[in-house]
Amino acid sequence: QYKWRGLMKEINKLKFIQQNNLPEPGSRVVVAMSGGVDSSVTAALFNHLGYEVIGVTMKLYEEKLSKETKNSKTCCAGIDVADARKVAKKMGIKHYIIDYKDRFRESVINKFVNSYLEGQTPIPCILCNQTVKFTDLLDFTKKLKSEILATGHYVKRIESGKDINLYQADDYKKDQSYFLFSTTQEQLKMLRFPLGNFTKSFIRELAERFGLENFNKPDSQDICFVPDGDYRKFVKKKAPDASKGGIIEDLSGKELGKHKGIVDYTIGQRKGIGIGGIKGKNQNSPLYVLDINRKSNKVIVGSKNELMKFVIYLEGLNLFVDKNCNKSFQALIKIRSGRKLVAAKIEIDKKNSQNGKVQLSEPELGVAPGQACVFYDKDRRMIGGGWITSSEFK
């Protein structure tokens, strides 16, 4: 009991309401419940503080899990839907299960497969947020006559006048702001992310004290619909043509070997290239995947130095902060969720504000088309971001 009082003391009711710009307790709040510990605690917190909570779980795909993968890090699969149902039943709240498998297949899985066939490295979590979660689920929230949809994302949402800003979570290791760069201001009016001020360990403690059976459930992985983590096998199953063989060559065009499908490779890859003991120009330097040419079905390899990029080109820009599109601005950027922030200069295309150019202060390795480049200011406020289309050294 002493520990429980200590935990709840950190969640001051008034502060919680103010931090998340919430209406008075008793108001209706919809919580997206994936079956994981974070969304479950989100629902439990709102319920504990006196809100009328309605849980909504999206059934996005159905995969038969083997003995080896039955405890893997899935999200929104059949087993996760069952976990969400148990949590909702324990709290005594209404719980809806929505079948979005067709929509998810069209908007996320098919694009994921096609991206790999094009030699890109997709991020399905962002695609899911762009479509199913923050479009379809927000529409369903409105049908339930609620103005708020809460999720278990680790990110801080702070209102400033008419603008709504997103900041990195206090727990930097769990920060998920990178996956939310494409969220719009209109969507943010309804969205709430109450876990941004807490650490993951604290949330697990709360889950245990709330009596949630999934308090120690593993976190979902980036590719939640590939339970065993073998995305190559998944893509080949969906698209048999992905195994079309081709040539592996260096930047000079010299053939070094053969490949059995570009889907087996990603930019920056070092191991498993498949050309035996061949080394780079320096015998002590291994080869890395530098580029994947979909048109010629070739994989280009080279040294680590040749992998370095100082310039990144973007499309599909989304800016949270009002920037003059005719001028450039300084920012801190990251090209993958777990990467460190790097200082850079952002230039918005004057003719097309959806496109941009990033000039890095120091080189990045493994800059891959299909990934996102996200901008932050010095206070860890997210400025925006875009999709990487290409990169170069100069």
Side-chain angles (χ1 to χ4, degrees):
Q1 290 300 321
Y2 177 78
K3 184 178 181 181
W4 178 237
R5 288 196 298 271
L7 287 173
M8 294 312 295
K9 189 176 180 180
E10 292 190 38
I11 305 177
N12 177 280
K13 188 172 184 178
L14 180 60
K15 185 178 180 182
F16 184 84
I17 292 173
Q18 291 175 338
Q19 282 180 335
N20 294 287
N21 298 101
L22 296 171
E24 289 297 312
S27 303
R28 179 173 294 179
V29 172
V30 174
V31 178
M33 299 179 67
S34 67
V37 63
D38 299 320
S39 59
S40 296
V41 169
T42 299
L45 276 173
F46 278 105
N47 188 54
H48 181 79
L49 295 175
Y51 287 89
E52 180 193 350
V53 180
I54 299 178
V56 178
T57 301
M58 301 176 294
K59 191 171 185 179
L60 301 182
Y61 60 97
E62 190 69 74
E63 289 288 339
K64 293 182 179 180
L65 305 183
S66 65
K67 291 181 180 179
E68 291 75 22
T69 60
K70 66 179 181 178
N71 293 318
S72 58
K73 306 167 184 179
T74 59
C75 172
C76 298
I79 190 172
D80 304 298
V81 172
D83 287 342
R85 185 190 292 117
K86 289 178 184 177
V87 171
K89 185 177 181 180
K90 181 175 181 60
M91 290 188 289
I93 64 172
K94 289 183 180 179
H95 181 233
Y96 292 89
I97 299 171
I98 313 174
D99 191 334
Y100 280 160
K101 292 198 295 292
D102 291 340
R103 176 82 163 114
F104 187 73
R105 185 186 309 111
E106 175 188 345
S107 302
V108 180
I109 294 179
N110 290 348
K111 288 185 178 181
F112 173 84
V113 172
N114 290 334
S115 291
Y116 271 113
L117 294 179
E118 291 297 321
Q120 299 179 346
T121 307
I123 313 176
C125 280
I126 297 179
L127 291 175
C128 184
N129 289 335
Q130 278 185 320
T131 55
V132 183
K133 284 186 181 176
F134 294 163
T135 300
D136 298 329
L137 196 51
L138 279 172
D139 288 340
F140 189 74
T141 299
K142 294 174 184 177
K143 291 179 181 178
L144 293 177
K145 301 188 183 305
S146 172
E147 297 179 356
I148 293 176
L149 171 64
T151 79
H153 286 94
Y154 284 84
V155 64
K156 291 194 291 188
R157 174 192 180 280
I158 298 177
E159 293 190 19
S160 178
K162 295 182 179 180
D163 295 325
I164 304 174
N165 296 301
L166 292 183
Y167 288 74
Q168 284 190 300
D170 286 348
D171 189 340
Y172 285 167
K173 291 182 179 180
K174 290 297 179 182
D175 172 60
Q176 293 174 298
S177 59
Y178 176 87
F179 299 106
L180 300 173
F181 88 85
S182 61
T183 312
T184 67
Q185 284 288 320
E186 194 62 30
Q187 291 169 339
L188 287 175
K189 290 179 182 178
M190 291 185 66
L191 290 168
R192 297 295 188 277
F193 311 105
L195 303 191
N197 296 292
F198 306 121
T199 63
K200 180 73 179 201
S201 59
F202 178 75
I203 293 304
R204 286 200 183 279
E205 285 188 77
L206 277 180
E208 188 173 12
R209 294 300 304 183
F210 275 127
L212 307 182
E213 292 182 16
N214 59 357
F215 75 92
N216 62 350
K217 184 176 180 177
D219 292 339
S220 60
Q221 59 188 18
D222 285 347
I223 310 175
C224 61
F225 52 88
V226 185
D228 62 1
D230 191 346
Y231 76 86
R232 295 177 175 90
K233 182 175 70 175
F234 180 88
V235 173
K236 289 175 181 178
K237 181 180 178 181
K238 298 290 183 182
D241 290 344
S243 297
K244 180 182 178 182
I247 295 172
I248 301 174
E249 64 182 26
D250 63 17
L251 286 174
S252 69
K254 179 182 178 181
E255 183 176 330
L256 302 179
K258 304 285 188 180
H259 68 76
K260 296 181 180 180
I262 59 174
V263 69
D264 289 333
Y265 302 87
T266 55
I267 304 297
Q269 179 179 329
R270 182 172 70 86
K271 296 181 179 180
I273 293 179
I275 48 180
I278 298 176
K279 302 291 183 180
K281 296 176 182 178
N282 185 325
Q283 278 296 317
N284 296 319
S285 300
L287 292 173
Y288 295 78
V289 175
L290 304 180
D291 194 15
I292 300 171
N293 191 319
R294 168 60 175 145
K295 291 183 179 180
S296 64
N297 197 33
K298 291 181 178 180
V299 175
I300 317 301
V301 299
S303 68
K304 188 174 183 178
N305 286 338
E306 291 170 323
L307 191 63
M308 293 181 178
K309 305 295 181 181
F310 278 96
V311 179
I312 302 173
Y313 295 97
L314 308 174
E315 67 179 8
L317 285 177
N318 181 53
L319 298 180
F320 287 89
V321 180
D322 184 23
K323 293 289 182 181
N324 189 330
C325 291
N326 295 317
K327 294 182 179 180
S328 60
F329 57 92
Q330 300 294 323
L332 299 170
I333 68 100
K334 62 165 59 182
I335 60 168
R336 301 210 180 186
S337 177
R339 291 289 261 272
K340 67 175 183 178
L341 291 169
V342 176
K345 179 182 178 182
I346 316 299
E347 296 178 13
I348 309 298
D349 191 317
K350 294 180 181 179
K351 296 181 180 180
N352 185 351
S353 60
Q354 287 290 295
N355 297 336
K357 175 182 174 182
V358 179
Q359 182 71 52
L360 298 166
S361 61
E362 58 184 83
E364 278 280 20
L365 304 177
V367 181
Q371 293 282 296
C373 179
V374 181
F375 325 140
Y376 300 84
D377 65 16
K378 60 182 178 60
D379 296 321
R380 300 296 196 270
R381 177 180 62 164
M382 187 156 62
I383 299 173
W387 295 103
I388 299 173
T389 58
S390 61
S391 59
E392 56 188 8
F393 179 76
K394 68 177 183 179

